[in-house]
Amino acid sequence: MEFSTQTTASLHQIKTAALGVGVFTDGVLTPAADIIDRASNGALRAVVKTEFKAAAGTSIVLRNLPGVTAARVILVGLGAQKDYTAAKHASAERAFAKYCGQASLTEGVSALASTDCADTTLRQRASAAATAVLYALYRYEGTFGKPQSNKPKLRKLALSVTRSQAAEAQKGLREGHAIGNGMNLTRLLGDLPPNVCTPTYLGSTARKLAREFKTIKAEVLDRKRIEALKMGSFLSVSRGSYEPPAFIVLKHTPAGTTARNRKPPIVLVGKGITFDSGGISLKPAANMDEMKYDMCGAATVLGTLRAAAELELDREVIGLIAACENLPSGRANKPGDIVTSMSGQTIEILNTDAEGRLVLCDALTYAERFKPAAVIDIATLTGACVVALGHNNSGLFSKDDALADSLLQAGRQANDTAWRLPLEDTYQEQLRSNFADMANVGGRDGGAITAACFLARFTENYSWAHLDIAGTAWHSGKNKGASGRPVPLLVHYLLGQAA
Ligand code: BES
Ligand code: MN
Ligand code: ZN
């Protein structure tokens, strides 16, 4: 996919298969729409008056407008002007991209980013435009018997902006390109079936990234080396499965990094349960297939590192992934088992379905060796987080207000929001065990919080945040598929840390 900018005031003379322009409700035209309206003798105003209400995300196609060179003008609804936000702009870009894809067009020009929008910069809108196009073009085709026929042909998108906006728009397009590619890698890994996307497969994906990008190095530790590290908690989860576990270490090191100019890295830790049956505490059958998505934290780490590398991000980023399956068997964890984590703390496993924290805790201990500036873990950790926040916001937990605020802000800029939940020591009581340093579950109440409290016990030596993406990593139902979240949030955060 090729992105570019076009700088002309004469929008009506742009030669393209599809020109995207926005209109607000109540007939308020954007400056771009106004140019087209004047050139076509009021054709837009007429449509807006009669049939197009301009609700956010809707669109209408106008062909062969008199006085307009573009073959089609796609009018995209932006909602009410006073409520025009980053989210509405992104959905408008998505509607335009979706149209171009469905109409089998090979190129198009969007003027949507040129309109001012609350709380965003032009650079962010350009980024959102590029991401929207790549998002709309994603097709899962990993495992069909026949080639799929609905492949979009879109190859080129230009943003129409003013001359003074062009440089910023270019930067935004480059960022959005990296974010879109990163998200689509994350989505593919999530969507692949669990008999394909195994811990070993995640390991080879990491190695492939290292071959593709010269700033990335990958190392995949096998069971023997995980044992040598004494990751007893992680290994206990993998014990019930025939599929070997993998502990993946990815590094993006900017070119020109030396021992003297090296800054403390940012470490991302991903939950990589490639299938979560619950283990001996077996889950009910309904929708259990969706537990193939229980590696979306790991997929997010891979997608975010890919984006960092594509952007040649000027900050060292380390990705850690603890990958295994959670299955019942004669060798699997049992309720009542006590395991010793890499940190030396012991854990009584009261529910084998609370396995995410058991693999993450050892990865979080491993993170200490990098003397990180910050550690962020990403995990489809609890159903309780979905109950609390639904599917719009990821759950954010941190004792570090500055880190939490940066992540919340990055989420807003990226249109990939998170919502902060409490992480107070008073909740720790629920994890008390009579037989070990802690239990792995704290009861039903505040389940997302007690899960975060569990992880907090392994993160005392650095600044840390936890993202519970159980409600945001994939969509269920007819449009079942991974969302690529929270790659945009994390890339925006990293861009802020590189500046
Ligand atoms: N992977 C699940 C969490 C999950 C459930 C994510 C549903 C998305 C949708 C996790 O391993 C899990 O099973 N958590 C348990 C914890 C409980 C046993 C304390 C849960 O949420 O029920
Ligand atoms: Mn589970
Ligand atoms: Zn799980």
Side-chain angles (χ1 to χ4, degrees):
M1 189 66 208
E2 197 183 306
F3 294 106
S4 60
T5 54
Q6 256 193 32
T7 55
T8 171
S10 324
L11 259 192
H12 58 291
Q13 288 170 344
I14 287 183
K15 209 177 152 207
T16 177
L19 174 65
V21 298
V23 287
F24 296 108
T25 49
D26 302 320
V28 183
L29 301 189
T30 58
D34 191 55
I35 294 173
I36 299 299
D37 184 60
R38 282 163 198 269
S40 62
N41 257 323
L44 260 54
R45 280 202 161 77
V47 171
V48 164
K49 219 177 209 166
T50 53
E51 54 192 288
F52 189 55
K53 297 288 166 252
T58 61
S59 63
I60 186 168
V61 186
L62 307 173
R63 288 188 179 76
N64 307 319
L65 286 182
V68 175
T69 312
R72 303 169 188 73
V73 171
I74 320 301
L75 272 194
V76 185
L78 306 177
Q81 186 168 23
K82 65 172 173 43
D83 303 328
Y84 191 46
T85 56
K88 300 263 174 64
H89 166 255
S91 88
E93 297 283 6
R94 233 173 283 145
F96 177 65
K98 203 171 161 190
Y99 175 83
C100 292
Q102 280 169 354
S104 291
L105 307 182
T106 57
E107 55 79 36
V109 177
S110 168
L112 295 165
S114 60
T115 302
D116 286 338
C117 163
D119 305 330
T120 65
T121 60
L122 177 85
R123 178 165 168 175
Q124 285 160 3
R125 295 197 297 280
S127 167
T131 303
V133 170
L134 292 174
Y135 195 91
L137 295 186
Y138 170 85
R139 291 290 178 283
Y140 176 82
E141 44 195 17
T143 43
F144 292 104
K146 300 185 215 158
Q148 298 296 289
S149 56
N150 62 347
K151 272 193 201 165
K153 300 188 175 68
L154 197 64
R155 293 288 170 272
K156 284 184 188 174
L157 181 93
L159 292 193
S160 165
V161 293
T162 65
R163 193 144 297 152
S164 64
Q165 290 176 323
E168 279 296 290
Q170 281 293 352
K171 285 184 201 161
L173 284 174
R174 183 166 174 266
E175 289 164 8
H177 189 269
I179 291 169
N181 283 338
M183 288 174 90
N184 285 349
L185 172 61
T186 300
R187 294 166 78 190
L188 174 60
L189 292 170
D191 287 340
L192 281 169
N195 60 338
V196 172
C197 188
T198 59
T200 307
Y201 189 93
L202 290 176
S204 33
T205 304
R207 287 208 191 89
K208 205 169 129 205
L209 282 182
R211 283 196 300 275
E212 213 175 323
F213 295 95
K214 61 179 189 303
T215 62
I216 293 190
K217 290 207 159 47
E219 207 183 349
V220 184
L221 312 188
D222 63 8
R223 192 193 305 264
K224 265 210 178 111
R225 293 179 66 192
I226 302 169
E227 279 168 2
L229 287 166
K230 297 197 158 58
M231 293 186 168
S233 182
F234 172 32
L235 283 168
S236 81
V237 176
S238 86
R239 226 170 21 222
S241 154
Y242 285 97
E243 216 41 79
F247 189 81
I248 304 166
V249 184
L250 275 155
K251 276 185 205 170
H252 159 79
T253 310
T257 304
T258 62
R260 286 189 55 202
N261 70 10
R262 167 176 259 124
K263 281 201 225 158
I266 293 159
V267 179
L268 305 177
V269 177
K271 170 178 172 181
I273 301 295
T274 59
F275 189 73
D276 180 13
S277 71
I280 296 295
S281 312
L282 193 64
K283 287 181 182 295
N287 304 323
M288 206 207 272
D289 67 290
E290 293 190 6
M291 282 298 117
K292 72 174 180 178
Y293 290 116
D294 213 18
M295 36 55 72
C296 281
T300 296
V301 170
L302 289 160
T304 303
L305 265 107
R306 192 202 184 284
E310 186 182 317
L311 287 170
E312 299 175 3
L313 188 89
D314 192 18
R315 183 73 194 241
E316 191 168 23
V317 186
I318 293 171
L320 303 176
I321 291 169
C324 70
E325 294 182 328
N326 185 25
L327 292 177
S329 89
R331 283 209 304 241
N333 277 337
K334 304 173 290 297
D337 280 3
I338 292 176
V339 297
T340 304
S341 66
M342 185 181 178
S343 73
Q345 299 179 88
T346 60
I347 304 161
E348 184 183 18
I349 300 173
L350 292 177
N351 188 321
T352 66
D353 197 10
E355 85 297 339
R357 60 199 82 180
L358 295 175
V359 307
L360 286 170
C361 68
D362 284 340
L364 289 166
T365 300
Y366 187 88
E368 285 180 13
R369 68 184 56 202
F370 300 107
K371 303 197 170 28
V375 177
I376 303 159
D377 78 75
I378 307 105
T380 48
L381 202 61
T382 64
C385 190
V386 190
V387 173
L389 295 178
H391 302 282
N392 297 317
N393 285 294
S394 301
L396 170 68
F397 301 83
S398 183
K399 291 182 181 171
D400 181 334
D401 290 340
L403 176 59
D405 287 343
S406 317
L407 289 166
L408 291 173
Q409 196 201 350
R412 283 190 295 267
Q413 289 173 347
N415 189 29
D416 177 13
T417 51
W419 196 268
R420 193 172 176 186
L421 292 168
L423 179 64
E424 288 157 313
D425 287 338
T426 41
Y427 292 92
Q428 289 285 0
E429 274 171 42
Q430 287 175 244
L431 295 173
R432 222 185 56 80
S433 159
N434 285 351
F435 307 107
D437 296 333
M438 71 196 86
N440 79 326
V441 290
R444 196 190 59 156
D445 300 344
I449 302 167
T450 51
C453 282
F454 180 97
L455 299 178
R457 296 182 182 223
F458 300 84
T459 61
E460 306 245 286
N461 297 328
Y462 48 69
S463 171
W464 163 72
H466 159 57
L467 284 167
D468 193 331
I469 58 168
T472 51
W474 75 92
H475 307 284
S476 305
K478 190 167 140 274
N479 293 320
K480 190 185 290 179
S483 69
R485 293 179 67 183
V487 171
L489 180 157
L490 290 168
V491 176
H492 275 253
Y493 167 76
L494 291 174
L495 282 167
Q497 298 308 303

